[in-house]
Amino acid sequence: MLNPKLLTPPAAGSRLLMSGNEAVARAVWEAGVRVAAAYPGTPSTEILENIAFYPDLYAEWSVNEKVSLEIAIGASLAGSRAFCAMKHVGLNVASDALMTLTLTGVVGGLVIAVADDVGFSSSQNEQDSRYWGRFAHLPVLEPSDSQEAYAMTREAFALSEKFNAPVILRMTTRVCHVKCLTTVGERQTHRVADSFTKNPRRWVMVPGNAQHHVPKMLARDKVLAEATAISPLNRLEPGSDQRLGFVTSGAAYMHVRETFPNAPILKLGFSHPAPINLVRDLANQVETLIVVEETEPLLEAEIKAHGIAVRGKDLLPAHGELSPVILRKGLAPLLGQAAETTPVPEIELSKVGNRMALDIFPRPPTMCPACPHMSVFYTLSQLRNVNVSGDIGCYTLGAGAPWKALDTCISMGASMGVALGMDKGRGPGDEDKKIVAVIGDSTFLHMGMQGLLDIAYNRGNVTILLLDNRTVGMTGGQENPGSGRDLHGNPAPRVDFAKLVEALGIAKDRIHVVNAYQLPVLFKTLRQETKTPGPSVIITDQPCVLTDYYQVLKPYEVDETLCTGCGNCVEVGCPAIHVTRREKAVKPSGKEVELAFVNIDTAACTGCDICVQTCAPKAIRHLPTRVPAKTIGIIAASGE
């Protein structure tokens, strides 16, 4: 495998088409960072993937976001500049370390890139990470495009060292993924200290030491407020139309500028602490001051607290992206327009044959053909009297049709604790209810091990399905300690999950490693373990079909002369299986049933044979003439 560090970075002065994630990665390298760590999570994943292409620094996939921040902290204390990246929910995981770091401060500059998933593209919630700046008393920078993401990342390291604090770089999905031309510079060699300086009073955060740092943290707030008041990252853009003035930041600035090109705008790049003096200057120039912020009314509340009249979430939604369409509709009444008459772009139609069709049609998320998770959820859907707690990953799709096999999904690793709570909280009449937890390999290593330890320690009557597909599938196939490779594709120790769960307290005879494609074995093992009291673990061991670990087999086709329309294969949920027609039929008992006759998209089929095992009339058979290329056509998952 090609080591990406053998590639030569583009020269200084190059003008490149870069996403925000790519621009941050370049800036991290140029800033002289020595250590970078992250856990993959959309929309932040590509930051570290791109950092891995640059030489002269250490980069790793950490097992979770807390560990990634702790690694960055250690590098900073050793005198190096350090960086970590995560999505918004990842900072929840890392917050324990963050809230102490804000007291100790840093040595080498430390920047935390947090990508908020505004609009729920691939997340279980929509958080506003700007609050962490207030909560942790830290500076927050908010780029609006790739060039700003690049420039602000470089500036963030200087600010971190100037103010002796980590800096939060708040990204959003649109800034992370949209590309624009970005001019890059040279890498600088930067080291604040040659080694770690021992100072227990500063670094050992027992109460007696920690309390002395609080006044310093509060004093830093005042210094930061003075800095934002004069920072060139905050600018007041004049406008000829004084009816409305806007305070905004991040991607929302782009939407405001597009929608109201003649309005004065206060663009905040260094957004916390808020530069109230600049806000007041703008308020004195316009008839109505509007705060446009994604997502919470955070700035709006702060501005109102200073006695400045401002409008915001009374006109605009507190969730989702604030696109030009949303802005025009929400602010039309202030301009004497009827919101109903505000023009909304129509979806263009194109002719297909003699009918009209949408250029872009909706496709519900589903699993890939031959995904080893399909057999698990097909099996679970056949069980009765069972509660299934799910987790974050591709397998969250098991909650959807046709399986409908998940009952809960809370946060990464929560399937374990939720399952134990269901077990211990059984009500009258639920004594015979079976409890199953489903979790993936990377999620288990991220935050699931502690939950399993708790189940074992407290003797929970729970069966755990640990789905080992040798990758972080939900974010595009990144490596983890269970894959056998590191970030750069080099061989690395691979976790033995059977030994690991035994070490966590599960009896050896209650641990089973099962081929996910062997439906009878999977069904028998799951039924047996759910009937037996006590904790057990079933490990399914088949690789993700989108990785090079997966071996494609001969595809299948349907013999239409044998197909009875029973529809069993449809219940597997494979997107390569298509219903060609449906018919009504009457059973000998007089009950009316619907038959589903199918075919198989042989270009997508990889020959896993799950559907074959469900076909009673043996109507599914190998294509006799060809073996497909090693490609899979459908990627469908959301991810953290």
Side-chain angles (χ1 to χ4, degrees), residues 551-568:
Q551 299 298 314
V552 178
L553 303 173
K554 291 176 65 176
Y556 287 94
E557 65 178 359
V558 176
D559 185 337
E560 295 182 1
T561 64
L562 297 177
C563 180
T564 62
C566 68
N568 288 343

Side-chain angles (χ1 to χ4, degrees), residues 426 459-463 510 528-536:
R426 297 170 189 264
R459 297 178 291 276
N461 189 11
V462 177
T463 298
R510 301 297 304 278
Q528 170 188 317
E529 289 303 322
T530 54
K531 286 182 177 181
T532 306
S536 61

Side-chain angles (χ1 to χ4, degrees), residues 52-192:
F53 283 85
Y54 291 99
D56 305 320
L57 82 167
Y58 170 81
E60 71 160 47
W61 286 129
S62 304
V63 294
N64 64 33
E65 296 86 357
K66 181 174 181 287
V67 172
S68 75
L69 178 55
E70 290 161 350
I71 289 167
I73 291 171
S76 170
L77 302 192
S80 294
R81 284 186 166 180
F83 173 83
C84 66
M86 60 200 70
K87 67 184 295 182
H88 61 289
V89 290
L91 194 49
N92 300 339
V93 178
S95 62
D96 192 14
L98 176 70
M99 296 306 290
T100 300
L101 179 63
T102 189
L103 290 174
T104 65
V106 301
V107 179
L110 196 161
V111 175
I112 306 166
V114 183
D116 285 4
D117 190 11
V118 177
F120 291 93
S121 297
S122 58
S123 305
Q124 67 270 33
N125 61 42
E126 185 188 52
Q127 294 174 201
D128 192 330
S129 293
R130 294 178 302 161
Y131 277 107
W132 286 109
R134 279 74 175 169
F135 193 19
H137 303 266
L138 299 178
V140 177
L141 304 187
E142 294 188 70
S144 297
D145 62 17
S146 300
Q147 184 67 63
E148 287 191 355
Y150 162 84
M152 288 187 186
T153 301
R154 292 198 57 165
E155 177 66 14
F157 286 100
L159 292 174
S160 176
E161 290 163 0
K162 178 179 180 180
F163 297 116
N164 185 33
V167 174
I168 293 175
L169 182 75
R170 193 245 185 167
M171 307 278 282
T172 61
T173 301
R174 190 162 296 272
V175 177
C176 287
H177 291 159
V178 171
K179 296 194 174 188
C180 75
L181 289 173
T182 305
T183 302
V184 300
E186 295 181 353
R187 175 170 168 83
Q188 58 179 284
T189 301
H190 190 94
R191 192 170 183 90
V192 175

Side-chain angles (χ1 to χ4, degrees), residues 534-552:
S536 61
V537 175
I538 301 171
I539 303 167
T540 62
D541 187 14
Q542 282 295 324
C544 170
V545 298
L546 299 178
T547 66
D548 56 8
Y549 298 114
Y550 183 75
Q551 299 298 314
V552 178

Side-chain angles (χ1 to χ4, degrees), residues 54 59 62 151 156 190 204 231 234 241 256 293 296 360 372 418 453 480 494 508 510 537 540 556 572 590 604 620:
Y54 291 99
S62 304
H190 190 94
V204 181
S231 173
N234 299 325
D241 187 346
V256 172
E293 52 188 328
E296 300 276 355
I360 301 176
V418 170
L453 179 62
N480 67 73
R494 184 187 176 200
K508 192 170 185 178
R510 301 297 304 278
V537 175
T540 62
Y556 287 94
V572 170
I620 301 175

Side-chain angles (χ1 to χ4, degrees), residues 10 23 42 96 126 128 180 223 231 300 310 383 392 406 437 451 511 535 563 579 582 586 599 607 638:
T42 305
D96 192 14
E126 185 188 52
D128 192 330
C180 75
V223 177
S231 173
E300 180 183 347
V310 67
L383 295 179
I392 302 295
L406 288 184
I511 301 169
C563 180
V579 177
R582 296 184 184 274
V586 179
N599 65 17
S638 59

Side-chain angles (χ1 to χ4, degrees), residues 391-402:
D391 225 297
I392 302 295
C394 295
Y395 43 87
T396 310
L397 295 167

